[in-house]
Amino acid sequence: TVTHNTVENNDNDGIQINAAGSISRGNVVSDNVVSNNGGSCIHLWLECIYNEIYCNTANNNGTAGISLQNNVTSYYKVYNNLINRNPNGIYVNNSSNNEIYGNKLAENLNIGLWLSAANDNKIEDNEIEANGNAGILLNSSENNEIHGNTITLNQWWGIYLGGNNNNQKIYNNYFRNGDNEGSRNAGFEGLNSGNSWNIQKTDTEGINIVGGPFLGGNYWTRSDRAGFSDVTKDSDGDGICDSAYTLTSGHVDALPLYMVAELYVNQDIAGSCGGKTPCYRTIQEAIDAASSGAIIRVASGTYNEICQLNTDKNISIEGGWDFSFATQTSMPTIVKVPLTTAGTITFLNLIKLEP
């Protein structure tokens, strides 16, 4: 175990585990501050397996924040690390079956997360932002699952497939790149086949990365609100764009996400929904204000009003929220059956209807 150290100003790597000629397993590298070293912050290679790297701060190192390299370097858990201002954030080369999640990779000079000849990895729930080239780069990699990541403000590409990348599953990510002339949310080079940019439309009994009720593809936006998900309609209010998004030939997000408008109702505390806006005292007020496709999130409790929908719009009502709208509780929201003469109301989690 390597933990709670400050490691800085070394000519080569800050922390290195090299298991050449043997197998090194079960190591923990955590809670270290590693900076200004000539090589990588943390470098594990050659026959290292089943190790954990978490809660480290890695910045201003010479090659990468974290490097996992060569042959049997596999089955890592890399999570909750803060990695910034290195040439590359996390570099995974010839390493498989790793879980990389909950990291923040920001302002690295080249790539936030680089997979090279890296297969069967899970990349999820990372914040990857403001890196100098691409947020995620893949080269000659297969069968990776990339989902739940927020990938924003990277200089040229949100994600780049650099050739011979096959059978990736890429879904439920938030892409906001392409603010510079010539830059894009996704880029491609060479042959890449069998990659999927969405899964089957799935009721998650929760929310997707932009607050909608279904999993599907990815959210494609730009700072100027001119991305595909910004300009494409969602007529039925399911949080999925009406049209598929063709990124390039052979790469199609069939179920791109649409950001659903959110409104909040809390009958017990006037004007207070944990700082969330717009906030209403009654469900009817929210229904009247909602546009088609909106989700109305309602705090737990019993609402005795009889609501009406008389306009042609599709809205969803989701119950069980606490008063701050931070979490859904086990307490339901009890509402009267509404009167609907036009449009549709869909009731989601923890709504109990009474006559």
Side-chain angles (χ1 to χ4, degrees):
T1 298
V2 182
T3 184
H4 292 98
N5 298 287
T6 298
V7 184
E8 58 186 15
N9 299 319
N10 295 287
D11 291 337
N12 294 306
D13 296 330
I15 298 171
Q16 182 186 110
I17 299 176
N18 180 346
S22 62
I23 293 178
S24 180
R25 71 172 69 209
N27 299 290
V28 173
V29 181
S30 70
D31 299 286
N32 301 287
V33 177
V34 189
S35 61
N36 298 304
N37 299 287
S40 294
C41 160
I42 301 169
H43 188 180
L44 278 73
W45 62 311
L46 294 174
E47 287 80 40
C48 292
I49 59 174
Y50 296 104
N51 299 290
E52 291 192 43
I53 304 172
Y54 61 89
C55 295
N56 299 284
T57 298
N59 53 55
N60 296 309
N61 294 283
T63 57
I66 295 175
S67 294
L68 312 178
Q69 287 185 275
N70 292 338
N71 299 325
V72 195
T73 313
S74 301
Y75 298 98
Y76 284 101
K77 290 185 178 181
V78 181
Y79 56 97
N80 295 349
N81 298 285
L82 175 60
I83 304 173
N84 53 32
R85 297 189 299 278
N86 305 281
N88 299 296
I90 296 177
Y91 178 54
V92 183
N93 173 250
N94 199 15
S95 181
S96 62
N97 296 293
N98 303 298
E99 298 178 37
I100 300 174
Y101 58 93
N103 302 286
K104 184 169 184 177
L105 313 173
E107 299 180 3
N108 295 288
L109 300 179
N110 188 27
I111 308 298
L113 173 61
W114 187 348
L115 302 181
S116 179
N119 305 326
D120 301 297
N121 298 287
K122 291 184 177 181
I123 312 298
E124 56 188 307
D125 300 328
N126 299 285
E127 295 181 38
I128 305 173
E129 64 180 38
N131 296 286
N133 190 335
I136 297 177
L137 171 64
L138 286 81
N139 291 115
S140 302
S141 297
E142 297 186 349
N143 302 313
N144 296 290
E145 187 169 323
I146 301 171
H147 67 90
N149 301 284
T150 300
I151 304 168
T152 60
L153 301 176
N154 295 286
Q155 183 74 17
W156 293 110
W157 309 100
I159 186 169
Y160 193 88
L161 276 62
N164 298 314
N165 297 290
N166 306 313
N167 304 315
Q168 323 296 332
K169 186 183 290 185
I170 305 168
Y171 68 96
N172 199 39
N173 299 288
Y174 183 108
F175 288 99
R176 180 163 63 90
N177 306 274
D179 291 345
N180 301 297
E181 184 176 354
S183 61
R184 298 288 186 274
N185 275 317
F188 305 89
E189 181 180 351
L191 296 175
N192 301 281
S193 64
N195 299 296
S196 176
W197 295 88
N198 61 272
I199 60 172
Q200 184 177 359
K201 181 179 175 182
T202 304
D203 182 351
T204 63
E205 297 187 356
I207 56 176
N208 63 34
I209 200 163
V210 289
F214 295 99
L215 288 180
N218 302 278
Y219 185 71
W220 306 96
T221 186
R222 288 172 37 151
S223 295
D224 60 4
R225 303 292 294 172
F228 185 87
S229 294
D230 303 314
V231 301
T232 307
K233 293 182 178 180
D234 170 24
S235 298
D236 61 3
D238 64 351
I240 305 291
C241 293
D242 292 346
S243 303
Y245 179 29
T246 300
L247 290 82
T248 191
S249 178
H251 293 268
V252 178
D253 185 341
L255 298 169
L257 301 179
Y258 180 89
M259 186 176 287
V260 176
E262 298 178 6
L263 302 89
Y264 303 89
V265 178
N266 182 358
Q267 66 179 350
D268 292 332
I269 306 175
S272 176
C273 293
K276 302 291 182 66
T277 59
C279 178
Y280 301 93
R281 283 289 303 276
T282 69
I283 297 173
Q284 185 64 60
E285 289 175 324
I287 289 174
D288 293 341
S291 58
S292 187
I295 289 182
I296 299 172
R297 305 196 193 282
V298 187
S300 299
T302 299
Y303 293 74
N304 292 316
E305 58 184 306
I306 299 177
C307 299
Q308 300 182 47
L309 178 61
N310 301 317
T311 57
D312 187 17
K313 58 187 179 184
N314 304 308
I315 60 176
S316 299
I317 300 178
E318 183 180 66
W321 288 92
D322 64 6
F323 289 162
S324 66
F325 290 88
T327 58
Q328 283 183 292
T329 71
S330 60
M331 300 297 292
T333 298
I334 301 171
V335 300
K336 300 288 186 181
V337 175
L339 302 175
T340 303
T341 59
T344 59
I345 298 177
T346 300
F347 293 98
L348 303 175
N349 310 320
L350 296 170
I351 288 284
K352 181 179 179 181
L353 295 175
E354 291 188 344

